[in-house]
Amino acid sequence: MNILNLFKVSLNAVANNKMRSFLSMLGIIIGVAAVIIMMSIGQGSKESIRQELSTMGTNLLTIRPGADRRGGVRQDPSAMQTLKMADYQRIIDEKKFVSYVSPEVTSGGQVIYGNNNTTSTVYGESPEYLDIKQWELEEGTNFTEEDIRKASKVCIVGTTIVKELFGEGKEAEAIGKNIRFKSIPLRIIGVLESKGYNSWGMDQDNVIIAPYTCVMKRIAAQTYFSSIVCSALTEELSDAAIEELTQILRNNHKLKADQVDDFTIRSQAEMMETMSSTMDTVTVILVVAAAFSLLVAGIGIMNIMLVSVTERTKEIGLRMAVGATGLVISLQFLIESVLISLTGGLLGVLLGGLVSNFVVPLMGMPSSIPAWSIYVSFAVCTFIGIIFGYIPARKAANMDPIEAIRHE
């Protein structure tokens, strides 16, 4: 038994029926391309989210009022007012694993300049907020601790605010102008560098940042914080920082050992994990859906191979008559089946790669083909060729040579 000769015979058989062979491959091509595209979109989305979250600082920690609500239990409104000035001051005084801290108060509404207006959100923060979120100023300066003490009516704005109120490219001219938010005048002292839209379609440049004392007293009229954002010294010390913050807040809130926290601390790493897990689940669902086309393609290959066996019955009988064993005949048809499947897989990978690299980005979707998906595709194609080629190969091997020669 010469494997090389068997391979040549099988290759000639596939080449002699080009159209039929291509139609057999078509299902494999579409199936593999669909799997590659789905995996590339899933992987690209995951990398895009990771990159986006990392730009906010991988050591970012967010403290929110109220106990952990992942169970979906609705809490009393008072439970959402547990973060006070005393908590912020105590964190500042006792922190060891935290570098920057900023209390946060938010308020949404309409911002006006002259005859122009737009809807935005004002974030009341400390001067350290820009360091925590790794935000750079394009024009102007940050507000100071003096502005915090005086509750100064100053603000830093994103480029979307500048574009909507002053016009495109007017960042420098916006400095020193007074805008109005809920009838409160705010003087622009800085413009942030543009960050664009995030993966959730939110405009990160549609933002106004002001001293938290100003927002608390003059705009939101509240004595509690919406949240407190912190930055751990390093990403590796995030867990230690969470433990430290938990202990500080529990002590400050005078919680007993058997009482649950009336606050929740989330790290950026935890958010990355959650988002990655969600994207992995979505990707698996999409890939499984696309993989069903490979099953249909395998059945198509089996049908074509059964037709081929029937058409070549006399050829099979002659080969057996001159000494070919059932194993040799079986291997010949298995090789043909695997050739069709692998060639379809190769064309499918090429098609999937072209669509993922050129078409998907044009649709505004992130794309990144994981290398292992290509190896898996070829392995699956080989498996399909063997599994669905087995029945036709077995049928050919079990033929009676005399009956096969007499076949018309």
Side-chain angles (χ1 to χ4, degrees):
M1 178 175 64
N2 191 318
I3 295 294
L4 183 59
N5 285 337
L6 278 178
F7 182 81
K8 288 179 180 178
V9 171
S10 301
L11 190 59
N12 287 332
V14 172
N16 288 336
N17 295 280
K18 293 181 178 64
M19 182 55 70
R20 187 165 69 187
S21 298
F22 175 73
L23 291 175
S24 303
M25 295 174 192
L26 196 56
I28 296 289
I29 294 170
I30 294 171
V32 169
V35 170
I36 293 289
I37 293 166
M38 291 300 103
M39 293 182 78
S40 72
I41 291 174
Q43 183 70 17
S45 299
K46 189 162 69 172
E47 289 178 4
S48 175
I49 291 170
R50 280 184 171 275
Q51 185 177 4
E52 192 170 292
L53 290 176
S54 67
T55 60
M56 301 178 191
T58 53
N59 51 349
L60 175 68
L61 304 173
T62 304
I63 308 170
R64 298 194 183 280
D68 194 332
R69 290 174 291 163
R70 281 183 284 190
V73 179
R74 187 171 181 177
Q75 300 186 55
D76 187 88
S78 62
M80 305 310 293
Q81 302 177 13
T82 56
L83 296 180
K84 302 292 181 70
M85 183 66 75
D87 298 316
Y88 170 56
Q89 290 296 339
R90 190 151 183 180
I91 291 172
I92 292 290
D93 294 338
E94 299 182 16
K95 64 183 176 67
K96 293 179 181 177
F97 298 108
V98 172
S99 53
Y100 301 113
V101 186
S102 174
E104 187 169 80
V105 185
T106 60
S107 180
Q110 192 176 55
V111 54
I112 302 169
Y113 177 76
N115 295 324
N116 299 323
N117 67 83
T118 187
T119 301
S120 186
T121 301
V122 168
Y123 291 82
E125 309 286 351
S126 77
E128 295 183 337
Y129 183 71
L130 299 190
D131 294 310
I132 295 171
K133 288 298 185 81
Q134 298 182 1
W135 225 323
E136 298 293 335
L137 285 167
E138 182 177 333
E139 297 285 347
T141 59
N142 193 4
F143 49 83
T144 64
E145 289 295 338
E146 182 68 18
D147 293 317
I148 297 291
R149 283 192 292 273
K150 293 180 178 179
S152 301
K153 292 180 282 188
V154 295
C155 68
I156 300 167
V157 299
T159 54
T160 296
I161 301 295
V162 173
K163 183 177 71 174
E164 293 293 332
L165 299 183
F166 304 99
E168 192 79 44
K170 302 286 187 179
E171 284 78 10
E173 296 177 25
I175 303 298
K177 298 291 195 304
N178 285 303
I179 58 176
R180 300 184 70 82
F181 186 89
K182 292 185 175 180
S183 76
I184 304 299
L186 297 172
R187 180 168 55 87
I188 299 174
I189 60 172
V191 178
L192 297 165
E193 286 188 357
S194 177
K195 282 194 174 184
Y197 285 83
N198 62 20
S199 299
W200 298 277
M202 294 174 61
D203 186 359
Q204 299 178 91
D205 300 323
N206 186 12
V207 62
I208 302 171
I209 303 172
Y212 69 86
T213 48
C214 172
V215 178
M216 287 178 74
K217 295 175 182 178
R218 306 180 190 278
I219 297 175
Q222 64 187 52
T223 58
Y224 57 90
F225 299 130
S226 306
S227 61
I228 298 176
V229 290
C230 310
S231 183
L233 289 173
T234 64
E235 184 180 354
E236 292 73 23
L237 290 174
S238 290
D239 290 339
I242 289 175
E243 290 181 16
E244 177 184 70
L245 291 168
T246 300
Q247 197 56 52
I248 290 173
L249 291 173
R250 284 186 66 86
N251 291 339
N252 209 44
H253 293 180
K254 296 179 172 56
L255 297 175
K256 297 178 181 178
D258 59 345
Q259 289 182 292
V260 297
D261 297 339
D262 58 356
F263 55 89
T264 306
I265 304 177
R266 291 279 180 269
S267 68
Q268 198 77 332
E270 186 179 354
M271 189 179 292
M272 283 185 181
E273 252 178 55
T274 302
M275 294 304 300
S276 293
S277 177
T278 303
M279 289 308 304
D280 285 342
T281 302
V282 173
T283 302
V284 167
I285 293 171
L286 293 174
V287 169
V288 167
F292 274 107
S293 62
L294 288 175
L295 179 62
V296 175
I299 295 171
I301 289 176
M302 184 172 66
N303 279 333
I304 293 296
M305 293 304 298
L306 285 170
V307 171
S308 180
V309 169
T310 302
E311 287 181 349
R312 294 156 63 188
T313 300
K314 184 172 284 189
E315 174 195 329
I316 293 168
L318 288 171
R319 285 175 63 79
M320 285 182 168
V322 296
T325 63
L327 178 61
V328 171
I329 298 298
S330 179
L331 278 175
Q332 177 187 336
F333 283 93
L334 272 177
I335 291 172
E336 286 183 30
S337 177
V338 171
L339 272 175
I340 291 172
S341 186
L342 277 179
T343 305
L346 176 61
L347 294 174
V349 167
L350 291 174
L351 177 61
L354 287 172
V355 173
S356 297
N357 289 323
F358 298 103
V359 179
V360 172
L362 289 177
M363 298 168 65
M365 301 172 70
S367 174
S368 175
I369 302 175
W372 58 267
S373 67
I374 297 174
Y375 307 137
V376 170
S377 296
F378 282 117
V380 169
C381 289
T382 304
F383 180 76
I384 288 174
I386 293 171
I387 294 298
F388 290 98
Y390 175 75
I391 293 176
R394 187 176 178 81
K395 179 182 176 183
N398 290 337
M399 281 186 180
D400 183 289
I402 296 174
E403 291 298 327
I405 291 172
R406 289 177 178 173
H407 181 79
E408 294 295 336

